[in-house]
């Protein structure tokens, strides 16, 4: 059986969890407080990061490389298009969410509100919260623009790009930082993803001392 | 003909340039001072970043997505292995260099010494220079460890992972920040990559007011 070393509110771990679940791969989840990483964890993973997937005895790191590997080895249902231009667009958007969105939004909101508290590193920086709250609006607008032209973010089929985006947004929704009313098309898209069986375990996540808002797990939010 | 909007000392642009050259795709290079980005550039590229590749009239962004697209559409010579585990390892290492190495080394050394000056944003932060100078040692050691076990970084054939790594190291070599004597295996590997025809244009790069050390372009350094 596969094992995933993860933390519940990590968008990178969630992207891998969604991919595993969509492909009906059973996985044992092992929560890893990587910031307190002991020597055992660092031996498994010198980069000191999560997610780490144990697969056939090998330790796999880097969420995008892991997800593309899973899609390569377990091609059904596929999360990558068949044509090079389609694959390009998926990879561009994964990088967009995991790099640009991550830096501008996730790091400013989620890491300030949640990770700092969990790691005992003080209080949220109000300037960063403000920056994140402003930037998420532009990102919701950009996603709306994409969804005006396409059924899913990268085209007319669901792909890894949707999971990358949903992984970030679901973490931010857990802390009530997504203004769904601003972007009805994004809300509809998220409702569709949220209702997939693959999403259910994410909706059951609980961070001690930080309960999510009621609508977080509500499919009709 | 293809056009690449780039800056000479950007590891992400260099990775794309190496990929284009290895596949013998002719490209017109257009230097883009993205930090002074005018509306024309921002219209082409809302993310405000380089590299941007104009390919068949489309504007492509995100260096890893671009390189994998080029490898998909122009598969000879291939820069990705044929097997899923091989592709995983290439993607893991590209992420390693473009994310971890970039944050720990490139941002601390190259961006402090070069980008700040070009952008008129003051003097290098000596603490960051110190951090970068320490971290690069661990990375050279890690590369040496890989090269003890493999002919190239990701296996026994040259791949995109070698170009990602060489792109970062070549920028750092331009500012004389690589202690090649520390890592003879890495030096041999770099000498082999450096002698490829694809590498020649990079060795001719000149940043006004910042000449490289003589050995930068020297194949026998």
């Amino acid at each position: 059986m596969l094992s995933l070393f993860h933390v519940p509110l990590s968008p990178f771990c969630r992207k891998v969890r969604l991919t595993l679940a969509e492909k009906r791969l059973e996985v044992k989840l092992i929560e890893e407080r990587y910031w307190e990483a002991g020597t055992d964890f660092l031996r498994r993973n010198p980069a000191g990061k999560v997610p780490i997937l144990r697969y056939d005895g090998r330790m796999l790191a880097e969420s995008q490389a892991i997800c593309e590997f899973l899609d390569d080895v377990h091609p059904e249902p596929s999360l990558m298009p068949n044509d090079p231009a389609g694959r390009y667009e998926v990879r561009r958007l994964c990088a967009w969410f995991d790099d640009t969105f991550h830096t501008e939004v996730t790091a400013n909101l989620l890491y300030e509100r949640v990770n700092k508290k969990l790691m005992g590193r003080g209080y949220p920086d109000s300037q960063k919260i403000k920056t994140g709250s402003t930037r998420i609006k532009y990102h919701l607008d950009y996603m709306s623009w994409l969804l005006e032209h396409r059924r899913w973010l990268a085209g007319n089929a669901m792909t890894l790009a949707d999971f990358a985006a949903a992984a970030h947004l679901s973490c931010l929704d857990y802390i009530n930082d997504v203004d769904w009313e601003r972007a009805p098309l994004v809300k509809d898209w998220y409702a569709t993803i949220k209702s997939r069986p693959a999403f259910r375990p994410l909706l059951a996540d609980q961070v001690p001392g930080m309960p999510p808002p009621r609508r977080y797990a509500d499919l009709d939010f």
Side-chain angles (χ1 to χ4, degrees), chain A:
Chain A
M1 190 171 165
L2 311 184
S3 302
L4 184 72
F5 298 88
H6 84 125
V7 294
L9 291 188
S10 151
F12 303 106
C13 296
R14 286 185 161 211
K15 184 175 66 172
V16 174
R17 287 167 72 191
L18 287 169
T19 302
L20 288 163
E22 190 70 22
K23 294 180 179 292
R24 295 166 195 259
L25 294 165
E26 264 195 85
V27 64
K28 184 179 165 197
L29 292 178
I30 300 164
E31 203 171 324
E32 183 71 75
R33 297 169 68 90
Y34 60 91
W35 56 93
E36 300 169 349
T39 42
D40 257 16
F41 180 63
L42 290 173
R43 196 174 311 123
R44 284 194 296 274
N45 172 24
K49 295 199 300 187
V50 288
I52 294 292
L53 179 68
R54 181 157 47 202
Y55 186 101
D56 270 354
R58 282 187 66 193
M59 291 295 192
L60 308 184
E62 295 296 346
S63 70
Q64 188 67 17
I66 292 172
C67 290
E68 292 219 31
F69 173 74
L70 291 172
D71 197 65
D72 256 359
V73 180
H74 305 277
E76 291 302 327
S78 174
L79 293 171
M80 290 296 280
N82 282 322
D83 61 308
R87 282 194 290 276
Y88 159 76
E89 185 64 355
V90 171
R91 290 183 180 125
R92 179 186 77 81
L93 284 170
C94 288
W96 176 266
F97 287 103
D98 287 346
D99 183 1
T100 308
F101 186 98
H102 175 257
T103 306
E104 296 183 358
V105 181
T106 310
N108 284 321
L109 295 177
L110 185 75
Y111 296 175
E112 286 299 313
R113 293 201 211 271
V114 176
N115 298 32
K116 259 190 171 172
K117 188 172 170 188
L118 289 179
M119 297 177 185
R121 293 192 185 157
Y123 296 99
D125 176 331
S126 61
Q127 189 53 52
K128 289 189 178 173
I129 299 285
K130 202 173 153 190
T131 303
S133 306
T134 305
R135 297 305 305 171
I136 194 174
K137 292 180 190 166
Y138 298 109
H139 282 279
L140 288 173
D141 291 351
Y142 178 55
M143 291 175 75
S144 299
W145 180 82
L146 289 174
L147 292 167
E148 271 169 35
H149 298 83
R150 304 164 171 182
R151 213 174 131 213
W152 296 88
L153 288 175
N156 289 322
M158 192 188 70
T159 65
L160 200 50
D162 298 287
F163 282 180
H168 284 271
L169 284 177
S170 67
C171 291
L172 293 162
D173 197 38
Y174 188 99
I175 54 172
N176 216 355
D177 262 332
V178 186
D179 175 11
W180 296 109
E181 303 317 315
R182 181 185 182 90
L185 286 174
V186 181
K187 188 180 177 186
D188 290 348
W189 161 87
Y190 187 63
T192 311
I193 293 226
K194 203 172 170 179
S195 65
R196 296 184 87 78
F199 219 89
R200 237 168 268 155
L202 275 60
L203 298 179
D205 280 346
Q206 289 279 347
V207 180
M210 291 186 197
R214 232 195 101 253
R215 70 165 187 196
Y216 168 73
D218 191 349
L219 294 185
D220 188 21
F221 56 107

